[in-house]
Amino acid sequence: MPELNDFKDTIKVLGNDEDSLLQGYLNVAEANVQNAVGSNVPSFFERDEIRDTYNICVYSLAGAFYTYRIALSDTPTYDVSLTYKSLIGFMRSKYDVLESEQNEDDDNG
């Protein structure tokens, strides 16, 4: 699961002055990713084949929050990164397969 120190390494932040801000970005990014993918498959984000993708996706979104944290009306807006969208799509496809299998198991018994 995403860790603050790993995130700080990813975005090259030294020191602890912004730890609470960065942790908040991580928390919001995690909730956003989980909401975008789904929450009906237990431990989905902890699966070996998903864990790294999930972490990178969360770091990507949280990094965008951090990079573009000052939004003014006369400032250009930035779309969410292609990395984030691509990873959400990948995880969503894996999630759909697992959810379908889980539903079939529930129906069979």
Side-chain angles (χ1 to χ4, degrees):
M1 303 319 290
E3 297 290 334
L4 179 60
N5 287 331
D6 292 337
F7 178 52
K8 287 169 62 174
D9 288 344
T10 300
I11 61 172
K12 309 293 186 225
V13 170
L14 302 174
N16 301 325
D17 293 346
E18 297 184 296
D19 280 4
S20 62
L21 175 69
L22 295 174
Q23 186 62 58
Y25 289 151
L26 276 177
N27 294 345
V28 170
E30 279 197 90
N32 186 290
V33 170
Q34 290 174 10
N35 186 52
V37 174
S39 59
N40 293 331
V41 178
S43 304
F44 174 76
F45 299 103
E46 298 169 15
R47 299 173 69 89
D48 290 338
E49 69 270 20
I50 298 299
R51 186 180 307 115
D52 288 341
T53 304
Y54 174 69
N55 288 345
I56 291 168
C57 191
V58 169
Y59 293 152
S60 175
L61 183 57
F65 291 157
Y66 179 72
T67 300
Y68 305 113
R69 64 190 172 275
I70 299 175
L72 302 173
S73 60
D74 60 350
T75 302
T77 59
Y78 299 91
D79 196 11
V80 175
S81 76
L82 292 176
T83 301
Y84 170 79
K85 290 179 180 179
S86 173
L87 295 175
I88 289 291
F90 170 79
M91 287 188 291
R92 186 68 206 181
S93 67
K94 295 285 188 182
Y95 179 88
D96 287 345
V97 169
L98 290 170
E99 185 178 44
S100 176
E101 290 173 358
Q102 177 179 304
N103 290 338
E104 285 177 15
D105 288 347
D106 290 346
D107 290 343
N108 292 331

